[in-house]
Amino acid sequence: MLKSLTFDTFKLSRSATKQIFGIHQHYCALNDNQSHGQSVEVRKALEGWYEKLKDAGVGDIEFNLKCLVAHVLKRKFSTLKSYKTEEFTAEQHSEFSRLCEARCARMPLQHILGEWDFMDLTLKTAPTVFIPRPETEEFVSKVLEEYRNVKQPIDMLEVGCGSGAISLAILNALPHVTSTAIERSKVATALAWENAKSLKLSDRFTPYNHTTSKNNYLPKELADRKFDLIVSNPPYVRTEEFPLLQPEVTLYENLNALDGGQDGLQIARLVFDLACLHLRPGGKLWLELGSEHPPLVKTIMNLKYEGRLRFISSYIDQYKRDRFVEIEKV
């Protein structure tokens, strides 16, 4: 039995032997380059990674590789035009290979880089803190359109601020806005504050670590506060949809930041109740939700919140999906 097991274990096909020998040669060459401090052209360093990323199921591979190259070279993405002609030092080549391996394991690009551009800002990211999506930039742009020409001060509340992306982008664009934010994750609350300080927006941004629940919508310090504007990108993924999510999400993100319950509106309903208590008459509530939610929200407003909240409109994102909702306090 042992003899058979030993034979089967070490019995390699000719192609497998070549593959292992090739990997061995690659790392021997890499180590040799490191020991002699030789530079490596990016074009050479890229060899094999496109296929590996494709086999791992990563999409938009060219974009991913260029982001990793820019990060390793400590260059802005936009400054790398013909990036394949750039050169790595031996240490940079080794780091690039390590980061590519992490991306093959479906670690989100934003977590690998440790930062991500959102609107006109560069935000620090952290594992388990929700990564803002491109559609959320569109959501913020809609809010900015509404308030850009407003001259008087605006007191804003964000529910579930995550890394602070929405609040900080609005504060950066509109100097007459101040933002209070609540977030149930301690890590995310700390990260939002760190981002605010690094962007020099902390004088107009106050985050609280607080979990919104029925009859406990805001921290005690905010119990009597009224706001001109409430924004939120609450969890809206239906629980049954979790098996359909990408590995980048299921393996590396905080699923509590995504789980909207049976119909995806579990947290949104809490935000509706919060708005009834803490939004000034005429104030607006803006929400980013799933594409199936705006018609449901309109029905909920008419049936449960008549005389308190009024559905104004919904707006589509770049993919023609109905995503953004505008509601007014009566």
PDB file of all heavy atoms in Angstrom, residues 14-37:
ATOM      1  N   ARG A  14       4.456  14.516 -18.071  1.00  0.00           N
ATOM      2  CA  ARG A  14       5.530  15.335 -18.631  1.00  0.00           C
ATOM      3  C   ARG A  14       5.167  16.818 -18.572  1.00  0.00           C
ATOM      4  O   ARG A  14       5.977  17.663 -18.246  1.00  0.00           O
ATOM      5  CB  ARG A  14       5.775  14.907 -20.076  1.00  0.00           C
ATOM      6  CG  ARG A  14       6.914  15.685 -20.746  1.00  0.00           C
ATOM      7  CD  ARG A  14       7.184  15.145 -22.141  1.00  0.00           C
ATOM      8  NE  ARG A  14       7.603  13.757 -22.088  1.00  0.00           N
ATOM      9  CZ  ARG A  14       7.818  13.009 -23.174  1.00  0.00           C
ATOM     10  NH1 ARG A  14       7.650  13.532 -24.379  1.00  0.00           N
ATOM     11  NH2 ARG A  14       8.201  11.746 -23.061  1.00  0.00           N
ATOM     12  N   SER A  15       3.880  17.154 -18.843  1.00  0.00           N
ATOM     13  CA  SER A  15       3.464  18.569 -18.831  1.00  0.00           C
ATOM     14  C   SER A  15       3.518  19.137 -17.424  1.00  0.00           C
ATOM     15  O   SER A  15       3.916  20.290 -17.214  1.00  0.00           O
ATOM     16  CB  SER A  15       2.051  18.709 -19.400  1.00  0.00           C
ATOM     17  OG  SER A  15       1.130  17.985 -18.615  1.00  0.00           O
ATOM     18  N   ALA A  16       3.113  18.344 -16.407  1.00  0.00           N
ATOM     19  CA  ALA A  16       3.157  18.823 -15.027  1.00  0.00           C
ATOM     20  C   ALA A  16       4.583  19.056 -14.586  1.00  0.00           C
ATOM     21  O   ALA A  16       4.891  20.020 -13.886  1.00  0.00           O
ATOM     22  CB  ALA A  16       2.474  17.810 -14.105  1.00  0.00           C
ATOM     23  N   THR A  17       5.483  18.162 -15.015  1.00  0.00           N
ATOM     24  CA  THR A  17       6.900  18.331 -14.664  1.00  0.00           C
ATOM     25  C   THR A  17       7.440  19.621 -15.250  1.00  0.00           C
ATOM     26  O   THR A  17       8.142  20.381 -14.583  1.00  0.00           O
ATOM     27  CB  THR A  17       7.714  17.129 -15.196  1.00  0.00           C
ATOM     28  OG1 THR A  17       7.158  15.930 -14.693  1.00  0.00           O
ATOM     29  CG2 THR A  17       9.170  17.247 -14.759  1.00  0.00           C
ATOM     30  N   LYS A  18       7.103  19.888 -16.506  1.00  0.00           N
ATOM     31  CA  LYS A  18       7.554  21.123 -17.153  1.00  0.00           C
ATOM     32  C   LYS A  18       7.011  22.343 -16.423  1.00  0.00           C
ATOM     33  O   LYS A  18       7.688  23.351 -16.247  1.00  0.00           O
ATOM     34  CB  LYS A  18       7.110  21.145 -18.617  1.00  0.00           C
ATOM     35  CG  LYS A  18       7.901  20.216 -19.522  1.00  0.00           C
ATOM     36  CD  LYS A  18       7.415  20.348 -20.957  1.00  0.00           C
ATOM     37  CE  LYS A  18       8.223  19.454 -21.902  1.00  0.00           C
ATOM     38  NZ  LYS A  18       7.725  19.582 -23.295  1.00  0.00           N
ATOM     39  N   GLN A  19       5.730  22.247 -15.988  1.00  0.00           N
ATOM     40  CA  GLN A  19       5.112  23.380 -15.302  1.00  0.00           C
ATOM     41  C   GLN A  19       5.830  23.686 -13.993  1.00  0.00           C
ATOM     42  O   GLN A  19       6.153  24.831 -13.697  1.00  0.00           O
ATOM     43  CB  GLN A  19       3.635  23.086 -15.040  1.00  0.00           C
ATOM     44  CG  GLN A  19       2.879  24.262 -14.431  1.00  0.00           C
ATOM     45  CD  GLN A  19       1.429  23.931 -14.215  1.00  0.00           C
ATOM     46  OE1 GLN A  19       1.035  22.764 -14.260  1.00  0.00           O
ATOM     47  NE2 GLN A  19       0.630  24.943 -13.962  1.00  0.00           N
ATOM     48  N   ILE A  20       6.097  22.656 -13.214  1.00  0.00           N
ATOM     49  CA  ILE A  20       6.772  22.848 -11.940  1.00  0.00           C
ATOM     50  C   ILE A  20       8.183  23.363 -12.159  1.00  0.00           C
ATOM     51  O   ILE A  20       8.661  24.278 -11.480  1.00  0.00           O
ATOM     52  CB  ILE A  20       6.790  21.534 -11.127  1.00  0.00           C
ATOM     53  CG1 ILE A  20       5.370  21.194 -10.679  1.00  0.00           C
ATOM     54  CG2 ILE A  20       7.720  21.642  -9.937  1.00  0.00           C
ATOM     55  CD1 ILE A  20       5.249  19.850 -10.012  1.00  0.00           C
ATOM     56  N   PHE A  21       8.869  22.801 -13.176  1.00  0.00           N
ATOM     57  CA  PHE A  21      10.220  23.256 -13.472  1.00  0.00           C
ATOM     58  C   PHE A  21      10.207  24.723 -13.903  1.00  0.00           C
ATOM     59  O   PHE A  21      11.065  25.518 -13.517  1.00  0.00           O
ATOM     60  CB  PHE A  21      10.826  22.383 -14.577  1.00  0.00           C
ATOM     61  CG  PHE A  21      12.248  22.770 -14.933  1.00  0.00           C
ATOM     62  CD1 PHE A  21      13.282  22.579 -14.015  1.00  0.00           C
ATOM     63  CD2 PHE A  21      12.533  23.333 -16.156  1.00  0.00           C
ATOM     64  CE1 PHE A  21      14.577  22.942 -14.337  1.00  0.00           C
ATOM     65  CE2 PHE A  21      13.823  23.692 -16.486  1.00  0.00           C
ATOM     66  CZ  PHE A  21      14.857  23.491 -15.571  1.00  0.00           C
ATOM     67  N   GLY A  22       9.143  25.109 -14.671  1.00  0.00           N
ATOM     68  CA  GLY A  22       9.032  26.493 -15.118  1.00  0.00           C
ATOM     69  C   GLY A  22       8.813  27.435 -13.956  1.00  0.00           C
ATOM     70  O   GLY A  22       9.403  28.517 -13.894  1.00  0.00           O
ATOM     71  N   ILE A  23       7.940  27.051 -13.002  1.00  0.00           N
ATOM     72  CA  ILE A  23       7.717  27.878 -11.808  1.00  0.00           C
ATOM     73  C   ILE A  23       9.003  28.020 -11.012  1.00  0.00           C
ATOM     74  O   ILE A  23       9.363  29.101 -10.540  1.00  0.00           O
ATOM     75  CB  ILE A  23       6.602  27.259 -10.933  1.00  0.00           C
ATOM     76  CG1 ILE A  23       5.263  27.321 -11.682  1.00  0.00           C
ATOM     77  CG2 ILE A  23       6.501  27.968  -9.594  1.00  0.00           C
ATOM     78  CD1 ILE A  23       4.159  26.563 -11.000  1.00  0.00           C
ATOM     79  N   HIS A  24       9.727  26.903 -10.883  1.00  0.00           N
ATOM     80  CA  HIS A  24      10.993  26.929 -10.157  1.00  0.00           C
ATOM     81  C   HIS A  24      11.968  27.899 -10.822  1.00  0.00           C
ATOM     82  O   HIS A  24      12.621  28.711 -10.151  1.00  0.00           O
ATOM     83  CB  HIS A  24      11.582  25.518 -10.116  1.00  0.00           C
ATOM     84  CG  HIS A  24      12.961  25.461  -9.501  1.00  0.00           C
ATOM     85  ND1 HIS A  24      13.155  25.625  -8.145  1.00  0.00           N
ATOM     86  CD2 HIS A  24      14.192  25.276 -10.060  1.00  0.00           C
ATOM     87  CE1 HIS A  24      14.459  25.535  -7.884  1.00  0.00           C
ATOM     88  NE2 HIS A  24      15.098  25.327  -9.029  1.00  0.00           N
ATOM     89  N   GLN A  25      12.052  27.846 -12.162  1.00  0.00           N
ATOM     90  CA  GLN A  25      12.942  28.743 -12.880  1.00  0.00           C
ATOM     91  C   GLN A  25      12.535  30.197 -12.683  1.00  0.00           C
ATOM     92  O   GLN A  25      13.377  31.071 -12.509  1.00  0.00           O
ATOM     93  CB  GLN A  25      12.926  28.399 -14.379  1.00  0.00           C
ATOM     94  CG  GLN A  25      13.744  27.165 -14.747  1.00  0.00           C
ATOM     95  CD  GLN A  25      13.756  26.977 -16.251  1.00  0.00           C
ATOM     96  OE1 GLN A  25      12.740  27.095 -16.914  1.00  0.00           O
ATOM     97  NE2 GLN A  25      14.929  26.695 -16.791  1.00  0.00           N
ATOM     98  N   HIS A  26      11.198  30.450 -12.692  1.00  0.00           N
ATOM     99  CA  HIS A  26      10.712  31.815 -12.528  1.00  0.00           C
ATOM    100  C   HIS A  26      11.159  32.406 -11.199  1.00  0.00           C
ATOM    101  O   HIS A  26      11.683  33.519 -11.140  1.00  0.00           O
ATOM    102  CB  HIS A  26       9.183  31.825 -12.616  1.00  0.00           C
ATOM    103  CG  HIS A  26       8.559  33.137 -12.212  1.00  0.00           C
ATOM    104  ND1 HIS A  26       8.579  34.240 -13.025  1.00  0.00           N
ATOM    105  CD2 HIS A  26       7.924  33.492 -11.068  1.00  0.00           C
ATOM    106  CE1 HIS A  26       7.976  35.243 -12.409  1.00  0.00           C
ATOM    107  NE2 HIS A  26       7.561  34.807 -11.222  1.00  0.00           N
ATOM    108  N   TYR A  27      10.969  31.632 -10.118  1.00  0.00           N
ATOM    109  CA  TYR A  27      11.323  32.166  -8.804  1.00  0.00           C
ATOM    110  C   TYR A  27      12.832  32.200  -8.587  1.00  0.00           C
ATOM    111  O   TYR A  27      13.346  33.066  -7.896  1.00  0.00           O
ATOM    112  CB  TYR A  27      10.614  31.377  -7.691  1.00  0.00           C
ATOM    113  CG  TYR A  27       9.189  31.794  -7.552  1.00  0.00           C
ATOM    114  CD1 TYR A  27       8.157  31.026  -8.083  1.00  0.00           C
ATOM    115  CD2 TYR A  27       8.857  33.001  -6.936  1.00  0.00           C
ATOM    116  CE1 TYR A  27       6.841  31.439  -7.986  1.00  0.00           C
ATOM    117  CE2 TYR A  27       7.538  33.412  -6.825  1.00  0.00           C
ATOM    118  CZ  TYR A  27       6.544  32.632  -7.348  1.00  0.00           C
ATOM    119  OH  TYR A  27       5.232  33.043  -7.257  1.00  0.00           O
ATOM    120  N   CYS A  28      13.547  31.272  -9.220  1.00  0.00           N
ATOM    121  CA  CYS A  28      15.009  31.331  -9.142  1.00  0.00           C
ATOM    122  C   CYS A  28      15.516  32.590  -9.842  1.00  0.00           C
ATOM    123  O   CYS A  28      16.401  33.287  -9.334  1.00  0.00           O
ATOM    124  CB  CYS A  28      15.627  30.091  -9.799  1.00  0.00           C
ATOM    125  SG  CYS A  28      15.541  28.611  -8.763  1.00  0.00           S
ATOM    126  N   ALA A  29      14.904  32.892 -11.004  1.00  0.00           N
ATOM    127  CA  ALA A  29      15.307  34.095 -11.731  1.00  0.00           C
ATOM    128  C   ALA A  29      14.957  35.346 -10.941  1.00  0.00           C
ATOM    129  O   ALA A  29      15.730  36.302 -10.890  1.00  0.00           O
ATOM    130  CB  ALA A  29      14.612  34.130 -13.098  1.00  0.00           C
ATOM    131  N   LEU A  30      13.777  35.328 -10.290  1.00  0.00           N
ATOM    132  CA  LEU A  30      13.360  36.471  -9.487  1.00  0.00           C
ATOM    133  C   LEU A  30      14.311  36.685  -8.323  1.00  0.00           C
ATOM    134  O   LEU A  30      14.750  37.809  -8.053  1.00  0.00           O
ATOM    135  CB  LEU A  30      11.927  36.239  -8.976  1.00  0.00           C
ATOM    136  CG  LEU A  30      11.296  37.355  -8.155  1.00  0.00           C
ATOM    137  CD1 LEU A  30      11.252  38.646  -8.973  1.00  0.00           C
ATOM    138  CD2 LEU A  30       9.894  36.962  -7.712  1.00  0.00           C
ATOM    139  N   ASN A  31      14.664  35.601  -7.640  1.00  0.00           N
ATOM    140  CA  ASN A  31      15.594  35.715  -6.515  1.00  0.00           C
ATOM    141  C   ASN A  31      16.964  36.165  -6.987  1.00  0.00           C
ATOM    142  O   ASN A  31      17.663  36.926  -6.313  1.00  0.00           O
ATOM    143  CB  ASN A  31      15.712  34.366  -5.790  1.00  0.00           C
ATOM    144  CG  ASN A  31      14.448  34.031  -5.029  1.00  0.00           C
ATOM    145  OD1 ASN A  31      13.711  34.938  -4.630  1.00  0.00           O
ATOM    146  ND2 ASN A  31      14.183  32.740  -4.829  1.00  0.00           N
ATOM    147  N   ASP A  32      17.373  35.685  -8.183  1.00  0.00           N
ATOM    148  CA  ASP A  32      18.668  36.079  -8.717  1.00  0.00           C
ATOM    149  C   ASP A  32      18.681  37.579  -9.037  1.00  0.00           C
ATOM    150  O   ASP A  32      19.642  38.283  -8.759  1.00  0.00           O
ATOM    151  CB  ASP A  32      18.965  35.268  -9.988  1.00  0.00           C
ATOM    152  CG  ASP A  32      20.374  35.536 -10.511  1.00  0.00           C
ATOM    153  OD1 ASP A  32      21.330  35.283  -9.754  1.00  0.00           O
ATOM    154  OD2 ASP A  32      20.496  35.986 -11.656  1.00  0.00           O
ATOM    155  N   ASN A  33      17.525  38.050  -9.605  1.00  0.00           N
ATOM    156  CA  ASN A  33      17.410  39.482  -9.885  1.00  0.00           C
ATOM    157  C   ASN A  33      17.496  40.299  -8.606  1.00  0.00           C
ATOM    158  O   ASN A  33      18.152  41.336  -8.544  1.00  0.00           O
ATOM    159  CB  ASN A  33      16.072  39.784 -10.574  1.00  0.00           C
ATOM    160  CG  ASN A  33      16.109  39.413 -12.046  1.00  0.00           C
ATOM    161  OD1 ASN A  33      17.174  39.249 -12.624  1.00  0.00           O
ATOM    162  ND2 ASN A  33      14.926  39.274 -12.652  1.00  0.00           N
ATOM    163  N   GLN A  34      16.824  39.821  -7.530  1.00  0.00           N
ATOM    164  CA  GLN A  34      16.839  40.537  -6.270  1.00  0.00           C
ATOM    165  C   GLN A  34      18.243  40.603  -5.696  1.00  0.00           C
ATOM    166  O   GLN A  34      18.674  41.628  -5.177  1.00  0.00           O
ATOM    167  CB  GLN A  34      15.892  39.854  -5.277  1.00  0.00           C
ATOM    168  CG  GLN A  34      14.420  40.073  -5.621  1.00  0.00           C
ATOM    169  CD  GLN A  34      13.512  39.358  -4.666  1.00  0.00           C
ATOM    170  OE1 GLN A  34      13.864  38.299  -4.129  1.00  0.00           O
ATOM    171  NE2 GLN A  34      12.354  39.922  -4.434  1.00  0.00           N
ATOM    172  N   SER A  35      18.969  39.506  -5.802  1.00  0.00           N
ATOM    173  CA  SER A  35      20.304  39.472  -5.217  1.00  0.00           C
ATOM    174  C   SER A  35      21.261  40.380  -5.964  1.00  0.00           C
ATOM    175  O   SER A  35      22.217  40.890  -5.403  1.00  0.00           O
ATOM    176  CB  SER A  35      20.838  38.023  -5.216  1.00  0.00           C
ATOM    177  OG  SER A  35      20.981  37.553  -6.549  1.00  0.00           O
ATOM    178  N   HIS A  36      21.003  40.627  -7.247  1.00  0.00           N
ATOM    179  CA  HIS A  36      21.877  41.495  -8.023  1.00  0.00           C
ATOM    180  C   HIS A  36      21.279  42.884  -8.234  1.00  0.00           C
ATOM    181  O   HIS A  36      21.884  43.723  -8.895  1.00  0.00           O
ATOM    182  CB  HIS A  36      22.164  40.852  -9.397  1.00  0.00           C
ATOM    183  CG  HIS A  36      23.019  39.611  -9.300  1.00  0.00           C
ATOM    184  ND1 HIS A  36      22.477  38.364  -9.109  1.00  0.00           N
ATOM    185  CD2 HIS A  36      24.375  39.444  -9.349  1.00  0.00           C
ATOM    186  CE1 HIS A  36      23.456  37.454  -9.056  1.00  0.00           C
ATOM    187  NE2 HIS A  36      24.606  38.091  -9.200  1.00  0.00           N
ATOM    188  N   GLY A  37      20.069  43.125  -7.662  1.00  0.00           N
ATOM    189  CA  GLY A  37      19.463  44.436  -7.774  1.00  0.00           C
ATOM    190  C   GLY A  37      19.087  44.816  -9.190  1.00  0.00           C
ATOM    191  O   GLY A  37      19.085  45.990  -9.538  1.00  0.00           O
TER     192      GLY A  37
END
